[in-house]
Amino acid sequence: MSEINGLDINAVKESFQAALKKVTNLEELDDIRVRFTGKKGDLTLLLRSLGKLLPELRKQAGQELNKLRDEIEHTLDITGRKIRESQNEKTEISERIDVTLPEKGRSFGAFHPVIQTMHEIANIMQGLGYSVATGPEQEEEFYNFECLNVPKWHPARDMQDTFYFPDGTLLRTHTSPVQIRSMLKYGAPLRIICPGKVYRRDNDTTHSPMFNQMEGLLIDKDVPFSVMKGTMSEMLNAFFGKSLKYRFRASYFPFTEPSMELDIECVECSGHDEHCRVCHGTGWLEVAGMGMVHPNVIRAGKIDPDEYNGFAFGIGLDRMAMLKYGISDLRLLFDGNVSYFMSGFEGGESRC
Ligand code: DAH
């Protein structure tokens, strides 16, 4: 029997199978379930119409319809399970975690402590309105010495201290020539810093033939001495993250008058440890040279010293890095073996 009261059992079966072939997800499968076995579904209507059949036909038709209903329900269940399994598999693949991948956002390698120090101090000074200026490492005597009021007879010009090239140029012995180059380029008023490498004929436990300095220069009208002191203390407090004690000592530099050297309270022991490995019990650390710019230097920068004055400073960046990061041997900064640093960071034995 394939028809009950005009409803074709085979047609229902075929349309169910056709619909099933197109199913791709659970929602579509549910639609089919409703369409065939729901309250008004094709199969349900067939089952309901059984009562209208003659009793002798009802039994066979009933058996056929029950079989079809079982088949449909079974097929729906199996198909549903398959769809769920394949969805789980897809989610599992897309959400799978590869524990061997590097952490997100973690970069390998790091800035050298001196470069990091350079960035930190430059950021602080930029916050105080200074711009970063640059100059060549192979420099002319004129900028490195002459313009900076370093006379021909000055010992700093000695072959012992300076690396000269055969053509008379030299490797700059300090970042101070950038003061002159910046004044000539930008005029006054001016606020610049210049971080960079400098070179001297020095090589022992506390000196390296190449080291890093940061020059600072402020030129303006009526600059008082106190602005220099305030700028230096502001910068060092920000760099070390604490309010330190300062000591300005009278000194001599050909390019400044008066000249000072700045000592800060020992960042390691604050003067409380007579065996301190950093300050050797003095309680003080020398960190910078500075002073009010000599009129001859301002003049060499083609600025009128009767109208403008200012201050300049030079800081040793390697020393600042050593103080901040607790590195006790200068040579470690230029050693290619990073394990000295790494062992310190990872809690192992450190030479620093
Ligand atoms: N150029 C000096 C040096 O290399 C450091 C220095 C001292 C720079 C005093 C300055 C300064 O600008 O005013 O030792």
Side-chain angles (χ1 to χ4, degrees), residues 173-176 179 198 200 211 213-216 253 255-256 259-260 288-292 311-315:
T173 55
H174 50 182
T175 43
S176 303
Q179 288 188 27
V198 300
R200 284 183 208 174
F211 55 104
Q213 281 189 337
M214 186 180 292
E215 194 76 15
F253 297 104
F255 26 89
T256 45
S259 303
M260 308 272 117
M290 77 204 67
M292 301 307 284
F311 69 86
F313 63 86
I315 274 202

Side-chain angles (χ1 to χ4, degrees), residues 89-325:
E89 209 171 294
K90 277 188 201 146
T91 326
E92 206 179 291
I93 290 171
S94 69
E95 290 179 6
R96 185 174 291 163
I97 294 170
D98 182 350
V99 291
T100 63
L101 284 175
E103 255 175 72
K104 268 192 190 152
R106 176 174 170 183
S107 55
F108 287 96
F111 281 120
H112 188 282
V114 175
I115 300 298
Q116 204 165 307
T117 299
M118 198 182 263
H119 287 166
E120 285 172 26
I121 300 183
N123 277 342
I124 296 166
M125 294 307 290
Q126 279 169 321
L128 295 176
Y130 287 71
S131 306
V132 176
T134 54
E137 287 177 28
Q138 183 177 357
E139 190 47 285
E140 292 169 34
E141 252 189 314
F142 178 71
Y143 294 108
N144 195 81
F145 294 131
E146 236 144 276
C147 295
L148 288 163
N149 206 27
V150 181
K152 281 257 186 282
W153 48 261
H154 198 282
R157 288 207 183 194
D158 202 294
M159 288 294 289
Q160 297 300 311
D161 294 316
T162 309
F163 289 107
Y164 281 94
F165 289 98
D167 65 359
T169 58
L170 47 84
L171 283 174
R172 67 179 178 193
T173 55
H174 50 182
T175 43
S176 303
V178 183
Q179 288 188 27
I180 306 295
R181 289 182 174 276
S182 302
M183 283 192 275
L184 291 173
K185 194 165 173 191
Y186 305 111
L190 183 66
R191 280 183 212 195
I192 55 114
I193 48 167
C194 168
K197 295 193 192 82
V198 300
Y199 304 83
R200 284 183 208 174
R201 286 171 172 256
D202 257 341
N203 199 9
D204 56 42
T205 49
T206 50
H207 295 93
S208 140
M210 185 284 294
F211 55 104
N212 296 272
Q213 281 189 337
M214 186 180 292
E215 194 76 15
L217 173 71
L218 181 145
I219 297 286
D220 212 325
K221 289 185 175 164
D222 302 321
V223 179
F225 192 79
S226 55
V227 172
M228 178 178 77
K229 290 172 95 178
T231 305
M232 298 310 286
S233 55
E234 188 72 23
M235 171 178 78
L236 293 166
N237 283 349
F239 177 67
F240 286 109
K242 52 183 169 185
S243 191
L244 297 159
K245 276 196 220 129
Y246 297 94
R247 188 169 76 169
F248 290 87
R249 273 184 297 108
S251 185
Y252 169 76
F253 297 104
F255 26 89
T256 45
E257 182 59 40
S259 303
M260 308 272 117
E261 268 172 292
L262 171 59
D263 295 342
I264 58 170
E265 148 197 346
C266 176
V267 287
E268 182 79 8
C269 76
S270 297
H272 299 309
D273 178 4
E274 60 181 295
H275 303 295
C276 176
R277 64 185 177 86
V278 180
C279 70
H280 306 292
T282 63
W284 295 101
L285 302 167
E286 188 188 311
V287 290
M290 77 204 67
M292 301 307 284
V293 185
H294 197 290
N296 287 350
V297 175
I298 298 187
R299 211 171 283 120
K302 299 262 183 289
I303 295 173
D304 182 358
D306 292 330
E307 201 182 342
Y308 287 97
N309 74 332
F311 69 86
F313 63 86
I315 274 202
L317 291 173
D318 313 273
R319 181 153 170 76
M320 297 292 275
M322 288 170 73
L323 292 175
K324 179 148 179 184
Y325 298 108

